[in-house]
Structures are given as structure tokens and as C-alpha cells.
Amino acid sequence: MDERSLAALGLAEAPHNRPLSYPGAWPRESGLLDGDRLLPLDRLVHPDRTPVLAVGSNACPGQLRHKMDGFGITSPIPMVKVRVTGIGVGVSAHVSRLGYVSASPFDAPGAVRELFLTWLDAEQLAVVDASEGVPLPNGNFRRAWLPSPDVGFVLENGETLPGAYVYVNRRGVLHNGTPEPRSHPGQRPLIAELLLGSARLRELFGVTPEEFCARARADVRLCERGTRLFAEEKLVTASGLERYVGRPQPLSPPMC
């Protein structure tokens, strides 16, 4: 087996096909997603492409490949590890028609974590935007530019970026019982906790994570009911990133 293949690296599985695996396996290091292989990168910054921060399954090569394959796009995608300051990874306030409850960023001043930047060309960006519902008036996410120094972006070589795009959930994120957003613990423990805490959610989706995923994947209207239930049970709070949505986007942000 090719040692650089996604299968050999344990990165081939897409949460699209197995929702309880969400957010999927992430690479251990930066790389170039080229077909079904993850190759070494010759550089970390790609000024001719758009940097988009991945906080969920968009950092999973198998998921990215699945999205691109659906549109016949085979061009490579640079995936660059980045140390981000000021962002937490929370829980989207909607039930996905793919059968999971996805991750969504929230404002977390001072928090530091390693995430991935996907550097997308125009065609790839259109595909990912569409997958997140950006073009739709009631889509789940909106793409927003997070500028430095509000949010810090430091690459593996110490280079800093002036900002990056991220997908902000238009409905907000789930909270942890206080006004603060809750962190996304992974799909299985998240769904188990949500079902345990809500009898109405159990009535809709069953009592186990497996039942939840199976029912959600089979019924878009059920997903919509689950999304409304989050709000009705007052489980939702703002991400704190809403202020960045709709701001003028930089035409050609300088690289530092």
C-alpha cells in the first residue's frame, strides 16, 4: 500500500458516510491533499488561494475528498496546521441532515489550539461554501473573515497571518448550562449527553447515538424539528463571532 495514501494514513473515512465518526480523522502534520494521497508541502502560505479555518470535518481529508469528488474536482488542496489564539470549537445549534451535530467556532479570548487551514482555489471554495449552506438565505453557516490581532494565526514555521475565513453558524451554538458555549467533545459523547438531557429530543431521535444518526439521516424535516427544539429548550447562545459576518472582505490581505 502507498504509504502516502489516505487509507494508509488512516484518513480516508468520511463522516458523511459514518456520522458517529465526526469530525473524522485529522492529519498529524501539514500536507497537500492530492487525490487519495496526502503529500508533503513545499510551502505553508498560498497567496493565490483563500485561507479557510477548519474546526470540524473540513479538516478531515476523507471528508474534503468526498466533497470535491461530488463535483468532479481533482485539484490539490493545501492543508496547513496553524496555532490559533482566540477561537474555541463549539457545537452548532442545528442537526445536520447528514446525521450529526457539527462543530462551530466561538469567540474564546486567550484560548490557544491547533487547527487546520485549508487553502482553497475559487472552484474549491465554491464547493465548500455550498456544503456549508453559505449561498442559501437560510443556510446553516455564513463565511466570515477573522482579522488579526482579534484572532491570532501562527504557522508551524512561526509565520503569522493577517487573518483567515471561518464558517459561523447563523443559529448560534449550544451552551454548557451557563451563558458560555460548550465545547464539542466528539460526536458519540455529544449526542449521548444531549439525549440524556432532553426527553423531547429522545422522543424525536431515540435513546442512543446510533438511533439519533439513523433517524436524522433519513428525515430532513426531523432535523429541522431537532434544530427548532434546541432553541425552544433554550440550549442556544451566541458564538460571539456574529460581529464579523458581513464585514467587507479584504481584496488581497497581506501576508506577514
Side-chain angles (χ1 to χ4, degrees):
M1 180 182 293
D2 181 352
E3 64 179 12
R4 283 287 177 176
S5 72
L6 297 186
L9 295 170
L11 302 172
E13 187 170 75
H16 178 280
N17 301 321
R18 289 190 64 244
L20 281 179
S21 71
Y22 184 95
W26 293 12
R28 297 179 61 182
E29 57 190 9
S30 300
L32 181 70
L33 178 59
D34 187 1
D36 292 323
R37 307 177 74 210
L38 191 67
L39 307 175
L41 273 175
D42 59 357
R43 56 195 172 100
L44 301 181
V45 175
H46 301 263
D48 57 333
R49 291 170 169 259
T50 300
V52 182
L53 188 66
V55 302
S57 65
N58 286 334
C60 171
Q63 186 87 325
L64 270 182
R65 188 74 272 146
H66 184 277
K67 290 184 178 187
M68 297 302 152
D69 286 349
F71 289 85
I73 296 175
T74 59
S75 52
I77 301 176
M79 302 182 67
V80 176
K81 187 174 286 189
V82 60
R83 189 172 76 251
V84 182
T85 302
I87 292 295
V89 177
V91 180
S92 295
H94 81 280
V95 179
S96 170
R97 60 184 176 81
L98 297 179
Y100 48 67
V101 182
S102 62
S104 188
F106 64 87
D107 186 35
V112 180
R113 63 184 307 146
E114 286 192 338
L115 297 170
F116 273 88
L117 280 176
T118 54
W119 292 86
L120 306 175
D121 64 24
E123 192 177 40
Q124 295 162 350
L125 181 62
V127 169
V128 179
D129 273 0
S131 75
E132 304 297 342
V134 172
L136 303 176
N138 294 315
N140 293 317
F141 291 92
R142 294 170 290 182
R143 179 160 51 86
W145 177 260
L146 302 182
S148 175
D150 293 11
V151 178
F153 300 91
V154 182
L155 303 180
E156 293 171 294
N157 61 2
E159 191 170 0
T160 61
L161 300 179
Y165 286 98
V166 74
Y167 293 106
V168 177
N169 198 293
R170 65 181 299 273
R171 295 178 179 84
V173 294
L174 301 187
H175 62 66
N176 60 5
T178 75
E180 299 300 316
R182 67 181 298 165
S183 295
H184 201 301
Q187 200 59 206
R188 187 180 292 276
L190 171 65
I191 294 179
E193 291 170 15
L194 292 175
L195 291 173
L196 182 63
S198 172
R200 292 177 65 193
L201 202 64
R202 293 194 297 274
E203 290 176 6
L204 293 178
F205 293 97
V207 298
T208 68
E210 289 79 7
E211 286 182 291
F212 183 103
C213 293
R215 293 188 188 185
R217 285 176 73 87
D219 193 335
V220 173
R221 290 188 178 181
L222 183 62
C223 292
E224 294 171 351
R225 290 178 63 190
T227 298
R228 291 196 299 270
L229 182 60
F230 287 156
E232 291 167 3
E233 296 205 335
K234 302 187 185 307
L235 301 176
V236 181
T237 189
S239 72
L241 300 176
E242 290 82 3
R243 65 187 185 274
Y244 297 106
V245 175
R247 284 191 179 183
Q249 301 173 352
L251 296 178
S252 181
M255 297 298 166
C256 301

